[in-house]
């Protein structure tokens, strides 16, 4: 599963929004299985949203953009699920491309929305940092805030959330286990946001954000790199090249099972971040 070192998450926010929102139907991607009971459902080939069947209701990780919400709903229905069975919506961070449809999905499903506490100021005081860029991001209040010492439990799924500030101050990563029909357990992991576009020294200073976010980002990557993850679930498809592997999915083969990918992603982003910090230090 190749890493893509030219991830679109390094593009300026306005280019990202143009990429994902102006013609969402062009980038339609049918739903597919990432792990036992875990499905890619965003409806587009850029930002990832994941539906988890807990055996007692559904969990949705991220909602993507409001403009592509109809594609996500169709993806969920194609899999045979009812969107109204979604009980919890877990947002990785407060950017429009990951939470633009949160209010819409809340109103449709009645699900409880979760968000990192340090991103609340983006909802209330600094909506410019959400990067709406003229697109829709309905206002909402999270029902609960993440706590590293309080796992999120629904049905047979227990999700450990890990605060990983950097891409946003409240960026949150998630680790959870799933079991297949043969009783084999796989650990799934998603880093809440590895994009460097919002963590450069210039961006942080321009927006009044603490430079300490750079070090927190590095610390988070090291913490996650120490964990074992069988299936790396990316917040953007090109981070680990999952789209190219879709044709390899069969009833007996999951091409996404590769414990090395998680470590490669963490180490690749850490290397890029440390290089950027060194270059910035040389310029100051």
């Amino acid at each position: 599963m190749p890493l893509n070192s030219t991830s679109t998450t390094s593009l300026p926010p306005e280019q990202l929004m143009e990429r994902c929102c102006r013609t969402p139907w062009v980038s339609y991607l049918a739903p597919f299985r990432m792990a036992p009971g875990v499905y890619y459902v965003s409806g587009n080939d850029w930002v990832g949203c994941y539906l988890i069947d807990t055996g007692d209701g559904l969990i949705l990780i991220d909602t993507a953009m409001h403009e592509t919400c109809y594609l996500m709903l169709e993806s969920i229905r194609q899999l045979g699920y009812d969107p109204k069975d979604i009980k919890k919506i877990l947002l990785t961070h407060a950017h429009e491309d990951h939470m633009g449809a949160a209010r819409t999905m809340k109103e449709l499903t009645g699900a409880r929305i979760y968000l990192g506490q340090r991103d609340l100021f983006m909802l209330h005081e600094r909506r410019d940092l959400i990067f709406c860029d003229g697109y829709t991001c309905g206002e909402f209040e999270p029902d609960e805030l993440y706590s590293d010492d309080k796992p999120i439990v629904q049905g047979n799924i227990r999700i450990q959330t890990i605060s990983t500030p950097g891409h946003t101050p409240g960026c949150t990563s998630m680790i959870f286990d799933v079991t297949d029909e043969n009783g084999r357990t796989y650990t799934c992991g998603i880093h809440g946001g590895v994009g460097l576009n919002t963590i450069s020294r210039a961006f942080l200073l321009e927006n009044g954000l603490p430079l300490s976010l750079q070090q927190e980002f590095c610390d988070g990557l090291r913490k996650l790199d120490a964990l074992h993850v069988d299936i790396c679930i990316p917040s953007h498809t090109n981070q680990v090249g999952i789209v190219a592997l879709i044709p390899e999915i069969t009833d007996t083969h999951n091409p996404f099972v590769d414990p090395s990918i998680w470590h490669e992603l963490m180490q690749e982003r850490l290397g890029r971040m440390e290089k950027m910090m060194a270059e910035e230090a040389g310029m100051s």
Side-chain angles (χ1 to χ4, degrees):
M1 201 186 313
L3 291 171
N4 185 342
S5 60
T6 58
S7 168
T8 56
T9 54
S10 64
L11 295 175
E14 63 273 10
Q15 292 185 33
L16 294 181
M17 297 310 302
E18 182 175 3
R19 164 73 173 84
C20 70
C21 287
R22 295 198 182 281
T23 54
W25 49 89
V26 173
S27 60
Y28 173 70
L29 183 63
F32 59 91
R33 175 173 52 86
M34 285 283 306
V38 182
Y39 304 90
Y40 184 98
V41 295
S42 71
N44 72 88
D45 65 2
W46 178 59
V47 60
C49 299
Y50 301 94
L51 190 74
I52 305 173
D53 184 349
T54 75
D56 183 22
L58 306 171
I59 293 175
L60 180 65
I61 298 179
D62 281 346
T63 69
M65 300 75 65
H66 174 79
E67 285 73 11
T68 60
C69 186
Y70 70 101
L71 296 175
M72 181 171 64
L73 292 171
E74 179 60 20
S75 292
I76 294 171
R77 293 185 178 116
Q78 281 187 38
L79 293 170
Y81 294 108
D82 184 345
K84 293 185 178 180
D85 288 334
I86 297 173
K87 306 301 182 183
K88 293 179 171 65
I89 297 172
L90 312 184
L91 301 176
T92 57
H93 61 280
H95 282 161
E96 196 272 349
D97 55 322
H98 292 269
M99 67 169 198
R103 176 170 175 168
T104 304
M105 292 301 293
K106 168 78 172 180
E107 292 176 347
L108 175 66
T109 67
R112 297 182 66 79
I113 295 179
Y114 292 69
L115 184 68
Q117 182 175 13
R118 289 175 64 182
D119 276 358
L120 284 178
F121 82 105
M122 297 169 67
L123 303 185
H124 301 151
E125 303 159 21
R126 293 294 307 276
R127 289 187 64 84
D128 58 305
L129 294 177
I130 295 174
F131 301 144
C132 292
D133 194 33
Y135 293 98
T136 305
C137 186
E139 295 185 13
F140 66 91
E141 286 295 323
D143 299 286
E144 295 196 36
L145 302 175
Y146 298 122
S147 176
D148 287 4
D149 60 2
K150 183 181 179 182
I152 295 169
V153 179
Q154 180 71 38
N156 57 20
I157 297 295
R158 181 179 184 271
I159 298 178
Q160 178 66 51
T161 61
I162 302 172
S163 175
T164 47
H167 188 59
T168 67
C171 184
T172 302
S173 300
M174 303 169 195
I175 305 289
F176 59 96
D177 289 342
V178 294
T179 305
D180 67 15
E181 62 276 9
N182 298 315
R184 180 173 178 180
T185 298
Y186 300 89
T187 299
C188 301
I190 179 171
H191 189 296
V194 296
L196 307 186
N197 57 314
T198 57
I199 202 169
S200 69
R201 181 181 180 87
F203 181 90
L204 295 174
L205 291 176
E206 179 182 350
N207 288 281
L209 297 172
L211 290 176
S212 58
L213 281 171
Q214 292 188 331
Q215 188 59 53
E216 288 188 276
F217 182 65
C218 294
D219 292 343
L221 288 169
R222 294 189 184 97
K223 179 188 296 186
L224 294 184
D225 189 33
L227 303 178
H228 172 83
V229 171
D230 297 295
I231 301 172
C232 179
I233 298 175
S235 57
H236 286 272
T237 59
N238 57 359
Q239 290 170 357
V240 294
I242 62 174
V243 174
L245 296 180
I246 295 174
E248 298 182 23
I249 301 172
T250 69
D251 291 338
T252 58
H253 175 63
N254 183 353
F256 307 117
V257 178
D258 185 343
S260 69
I261 295 301
W262 177 258
H263 301 295
E264 289 179 19
L265 178 60
M266 299 305 118
Q267 293 166 19
E268 183 261 350
R269 291 302 160 128
L270 180 59
R272 288 176 59 185
M273 187 67 220
E274 290 178 333
K275 179 181 178 182
M276 185 174 77
M277 292 168 65
E279 292 174 347
E280 291 175 342
M283 297 169 57
S284 60

